[in-house]
Amino acid sequence: MIKINVTDIDKIKKDFIKRIEDSVIKNKLDNLTKTEKEELKQNTFENGSELQKRVHSLYLCSPENLIQEANNFQQYLNQNHNHEIETIKSTYFDYEKIIAYKKDKIDHAYWLMKKLNIRVCPYCNRSYTFTVINGEVGCRPEFDHFYCQDNNPYLSLSFYNLVPSCPTCNHKKSTADIYIHPYIEGFENNCKLKINNIGNCLLNSNSYENWSIGWSEHDVRFDQNINTFLLTHFYNEHKDYISEIIFKAKAYNTGYYQTLLETFHDLQLSPKEMRLLIFGNYTEIDELGLRPLSKLSRDIIEQIGVETL
């Protein structure tokens, strides 16, 4: 629902694959015989080897090319099958070993979540997704495999197939297919939340039965995300928040904004900071991932007639 924007993502991707090779693949060598070790090193770690190039391409390919890269890799393995393939496959694509929960909270999943620093679930924009670590105790969001790893095992560790998400969205999606990939695009201005029967909402903000939240006209591609994550149903549970936004928007348009400008004149707040002060949320298109319900806030105050950026 919200496009993921991460600073220094190219560096994070390079560090990501290096950690996989350093902490898992190279450690695997310790459990092999000398002959097996030499064969695996030759096929996987030799600088510039064909297999290494293909694995790196698979792990780091763009989100648009995930399925094509997986198919290309499968074709490569089929054409080059030998007695080392199963060892290589179990080494490179063992999701449980590489990205699942570890006692050392700085390893793998926790490390990646911290580096990405995604604060709100991109699928629903309703739940915080902080990653916190305190010694051996920690908490992090979950990784959703955009393309189910049961059906696409070679994508189990592809960077853009790992989407940080809240547990609710991860479990609701499960193995379902959706069309909007948050590393490619979000709903933003292409699919907006909209109050139906807004007159009833404005006349009596305490009556929640005569109005609802739906969606503006949009491409049918967005419907799979909306239905899979029950977005319409969940957002209709936020009517108290919506009523508050409407009240603030009306006040904003009837002089409240000017009063605040005069009150906080010495602070020299920017228009963006003033909107954050009034509405309690971010409304700029590039900051919707900073706080839950920011997409809802932006769409509603825009519907009411307040200018957004």
Side-chain angles (χ1 to χ4, degrees):
M1 182 172 173
I2 300 299
K3 188 177 187 299
I4 296 175
N5 293 299
V6 178
T7 304
D8 296 330
I9 195 166
D10 289 337
K11 184 179 187 306
I12 294 173
K13 289 190 296 183
K14 291 177 182 178
D15 292 343
F16 167 72
I17 195 168
K18 186 176 187 301
R19 288 177 67 89
I20 292 175
E21 293 186 336
D22 287 349
S23 66
V24 177
I25 299 176
K26 290 182 181 179
N27 289 341
K28 186 180 180 65
L29 296 174
D30 295 336
N31 301 319
L32 302 178
T33 67
K34 183 177 180 179
T35 300
E36 291 172 333
K37 192 178 299 185
E38 289 302 317
E39 289 177 344
L40 189 59
K41 286 174 65 176
Q42 180 179 356
N43 281 278
T44 59
F45 303 116
E46 183 180 355
N47 187 31
S49 70
E50 179 65 19
L51 180 59
Q52 187 182 56
K53 290 180 181 178
R54 288 180 176 272
V55 169
H56 282 208
S57 179
L58 183 65
Y59 276 13
L60 304 179
C61 72
S62 67
E64 295 91 343
N65 295 326
L66 285 165
I67 294 297
Q68 184 60 54
E69 284 289 342
N71 291 338
N72 291 344
F73 191 79
Q74 180 64 70
Q75 185 178 9
Y76 169 77
L77 293 183
N78 292 341
Q79 294 173 349
N80 296 274
H81 187 77
N82 56 49
H83 68 283
E84 297 161 0
I85 288 297
E86 291 304 317
T87 301
I88 293 168
K89 286 165 62 177
S90 65
T91 302
Y92 272 109
F93 304 102
D94 190 336
Y95 174 80
E96 292 300 327
K97 287 182 181 178
I98 298 174
I99 211 69
Y101 179 89
K102 304 287 182 182
K103 287 185 178 180
D104 185 349
K105 296 298 185 297
I106 66 171
D107 273 354
H108 311 310
Y110 275 82
W111 173 87
L112 183 54
M113 286 293 191
K114 269 292 190 183
K115 287 292 183 180
L116 292 173
N117 192 30
I118 294 173
R119 302 173 62 83
V120 179
C121 177
Y123 285 140
C124 68
N125 193 233
R126 295 174 57 252
S127 303
Y128 277 118
T129 50
F130 296 141
T131 299
V132 296
I133 305 170
N134 182 18
E136 289 298 310
V137 179
C139 184
R140 65 170 177 84
E142 298 181 357
F143 278 113
D144 168 59
H145 286 84
F146 188 82
Y147 295 109
C148 171
Q149 63 173 335
D150 291 340
N151 300 327
N152 303 277
Y154 297 128
L155 296 179
S156 62
L157 278 168
S158 292
F159 183 87
Y160 287 114
N161 200 43
L162 298 171
V163 177
S165 63
C166 69
T168 298
C169 285
N170 190 28
H171 297 162
K172 285 303 301 178
K173 179 174 173 293
S174 185
T175 61
D177 292 326
I178 58 177
Y179 295 111
I180 307 301
H181 192 305
Y183 272 113
I184 300 175
E185 62 178 322
F187 283 21
E188 276 78 44
N189 287 326
N190 297 316
C191 185
K192 297 181 180 182
L193 288 152
K194 180 181 179 181
I195 301 174
N196 300 318
N197 300 317
I198 192 170
N200 292 335
C201 178
L202 291 172
L203 288 172
N204 186 354
S205 62
N206 294 318
S207 176
Y208 296 152
E209 297 180 359
N210 298 322
W211 59 276
S212 62
I213 282 287
W215 302 89
S216 64
E217 291 186 11
H218 56 269
D219 191 302
V220 294
R221 295 182 306 117
F222 294 93
D223 288 337
Q224 195 66 29
N225 287 59
I226 291 171
N227 296 332
T228 296
F229 298 116
L230 298 177
L231 295 182
T232 305
H233 300 277
F234 275 123
Y235 273 98
N236 272 283
E237 295 296 323
H238 291 290
K239 287 186 175 181
D240 59 334
Y241 180 83
I242 295 168
S243 294
E244 181 181 330
I245 291 293
I246 292 174
F247 178 82
K248 290 178 178 178
K250 290 177 67 179
Y252 183 99
N253 283 344
T254 57
Y256 183 44
Y257 177 70
Q258 187 61 38
T259 300
L260 287 175
L261 277 178
E262 296 171 0
T263 303
F264 295 101
H265 177 266
D266 292 340
L267 296 180
Q268 296 183 333
L269 297 177
S270 68
K272 181 172 74 171
E273 291 169 330
M274 287 298 297
R275 279 191 293 274
L276 180 59
L277 177 64
I278 293 171
F279 296 109
N281 216 327
Y282 297 93
T283 58
E284 289 70 36
I285 198 73
D286 60 345
E287 295 181 340
L288 297 182
L290 296 180
R291 189 172 291 179
L293 301 179
S294 55
K295 166 69 172 169
L296 175 63
S297 298
R298 175 184 171 85
D299 291 350
I300 295 308
I301 68 172
E302 202 174 67
Q303 183 181 359
I304 296 297
V306 177
E307 181 182 356
T308 58
L309 299 178

